[in-house]
Every structure is written in structure tokens, then in C-alpha cells.
Amino acid sequence: MPPKKKKSKKSKKSKKKEEYLPSIFNIPQYENPDIVTPKVDLIIKLVHPVTDLFTLKIRVQISTRVEQIHEEISKMHQGAISGISVCRDRFSPEDVLDPKKTLEQCGIFDGEIKLLYDYKPIVGPLLK
């Protein structure tokens, strides 16, 4: 049997705290976007038939994409709709908001905004 190797004890050296040089960059203080970003109240209504059953009132940030509003509308209809078109103040096919843009890019900054929507129903939604 080979002889056992003895473990050498390493001396414990006192570790010095590393000191860093002051930053040469001006780092701004962190601001929480949930607090700083302006919010807008949206009243989302179905174009036809006009009824309070299909009215949705939500408060969102102006950095919210129109596509997220489409998802909220779809949830309200329990996923049985597609081809959602959203317009501001009045509904016309030429004034449909682009789903890839944010509310801020669509010109919605503050206050209470009225959005109107229309959709295409899914044929046989239970089959999908």
C-alpha cells in the first residue's frame, strides 16, 4: 500500500477589501417604469350593436401595444373572434390602429380615450 500523502495547511491570509476607483461615467438614478410611464384610461366599445355588454374600461401605460388591447378584447369575447380592428373616436376602415405600434406612437398620450372596435366571428370556435 502506498504511503498516504499529507495535506499541507495553507496559511490564511487576510483578504483586503478591493477598492474601486470612482466611476468616470455619469450613471443616472434608476426610475421604475411602472411609476414614471404615463397611464391612460381606455373605454373600448363595440361599433355595432351599441350596448354596455361589450364595453371594456381599462387603465394602461402609453407604452402598451395595440396588439395587447386586441388580446383584452378577445378575452372579453372568450376567444371566439378574430380580425379585430380598433379605431380612435370614430370607426372607419382607413383609421384602423396598427397592432405593432404602441399607444404613444398612435398619438394617445393621456386622459380618457374612446376606442371603437369591430371583429370577424370565428366559424365553429369550439373546433379550433
Side-chain angles (χ1 to χ4, degrees):
M1 194 176 222
K4 293 182 180 179
K5 294 182 181 178
K6 293 184 179 180
K7 295 181 181 178
S8 62
K9 294 184 179 180
K10 294 183 181 179
S11 61
K12 294 181 180 179
K13 296 180 182 178
S14 62
K15 294 183 180 179
K16 294 181 182 178
K17 290 184 178 179
E18 294 181 20
E19 294 182 20
Y20 296 103
L21 296 174
S23 177
I24 58 172
F25 301 106
N26 185 13
I27 300 172
Q29 187 175 2
Y30 174 75
E31 295 179 347
N32 189 348
D34 292 335
I35 297 171
V36 177
T37 306
K39 294 185 173 24
V40 64
D41 295 319
L42 298 178
I43 300 171
I44 305 168
K45 294 185 173 191
L46 180 62
V47 175
H48 186 70
V50 179
T51 178
D52 288 337
L53 294 175
F54 297 113
T55 299
L56 180 65
K57 295 180 183 179
I58 55 174
R59 183 175 177 87
V60 295
Q61 296 178 349
I62 60 171
S63 59
T64 303
R65 293 195 181 279
V66 176
E67 188 173 20
Q68 291 173 325
I69 295 169
H70 286 202
E71 290 173 10
E72 291 295 321
I73 294 169
S74 182
K75 283 181 192 176
M76 184 173 60
H77 288 272
Q78 300 175 351
I81 61 173
S82 66
I84 301 170
S85 303
V86 178
C87 294
R88 181 179 177 182
D89 296 327
R90 62 182 180 85
F91 190 84
S92 66
E94 297 85 29
D95 296 334
V96 174
L97 300 178
D98 184 14
K100 301 296 180 192
K101 291 186 177 180
T102 63
L103 293 176
E104 185 177 19
Q105 293 170 338
C106 293
I108 298 172
F109 296 106
D110 61 348
E112 189 173 277
I113 306 297
K114 183 178 177 184
L115 297 178
L116 300 170
Y117 73 95
D118 198 12
Y119 63 89
K120 295 176 186 171
I122 295 176
V123 179
L126 297 176
L127 299 177
K128 282 200 168 194

